[in-house]
Amino acid sequence: MSKGLVVIGGGAAGMMAAVSAAERGAQVTLLEPNERLGKKLNITGKGRCNVTNNADVQTLLANVPRNGKFLYSAFSRFDGRDTMAFFASIGVPLKTERGNRVFPVSDRAFDVSAALERRLKALKVSLVRDRATELEITSGAVTGVRGERGHTLPGR
């Protein structure tokens, strides 16, 4: 990838998307209006952060309410064990508890968000404190994002 990419939202999913894109060579801008990245992540699991579940894909899907088959494709590409390996690689040691729930050894959700922030910085992901208000669309494709503070992205 060589083009600029904008990720809207600096929550858990947004940070993971930004890391993934940057690791594949994209120039990434993360657009987040809150003062902290991963704000909700830091309060999950009573502040402990249940990162994933240490089970195989079939077990995961069997425990999804209703029809979890739609998740098969995603889990076959990146499952709970891949998640555990990723966090170990960025300095978050994990432990498996009752029910195969996986938490940071420290029992601190903040350690998860801090590690993601360090990874974003290491990958030179640009952080813009703004809220997306409009998508710019040219010939049916998204070409940019406008923020309420006047930022137009991508654009460096």
Side-chain angles (χ1 to χ4, degrees), residues 94-114:
L94 302 172
K95 62 183 176 179
T96 302
E97 293 187 357
R98 160 180 68 79
N100 288 325
R101 296 174 303 151
V102 178
F103 294 92
V105 168
S106 66
D107 284 329
R108 293 178 26 145
F110 178 79
D111 291 347
V112 174
S113 62

Side-chain angles (χ1 to χ4, degrees), residues 68-106:
K69 289 182 183 176
F70 75 97
L71 294 170
Y72 184 80
S73 178
F75 281 142
S76 68
R77 287 181 175 84
F78 195 88
D79 65 10
R81 292 185 179 116
D82 294 320
T83 301
M84 293 170 66
F86 169 78
F87 281 106
S89 78
I90 64 169
V92 182
L94 302 172
K95 62 183 176 179
T96 302
E97 293 187 357
R98 160 180 68 79
N100 288 325
R101 296 174 303 151
V102 178
F103 294 92
V105 168
S106 66

Side-chain angles (χ1 to χ4, degrees), residues 24-64:
R24 286 163 177 75
Q27 293 178 330
V28 181
T29 299
L30 182 57
L31 192 63
E32 171 58 49
N34 289 316
E35 70 284 354
R36 288 208 50 87
L37 295 175
K39 191 173 180 176
K40 291 179 185 172
L41 177 72
N42 290 327
I43 61 172
T44 62
K46 297 179 183 174
R48 294 179 62 212
C49 189
N50 182 192
V51 175
T52 189
N53 194 286
N54 190 2
D56 61 60
V57 174
Q58 298 307 325
T59 303
L60 286 171
L61 294 178
N63 287 287
V64 173

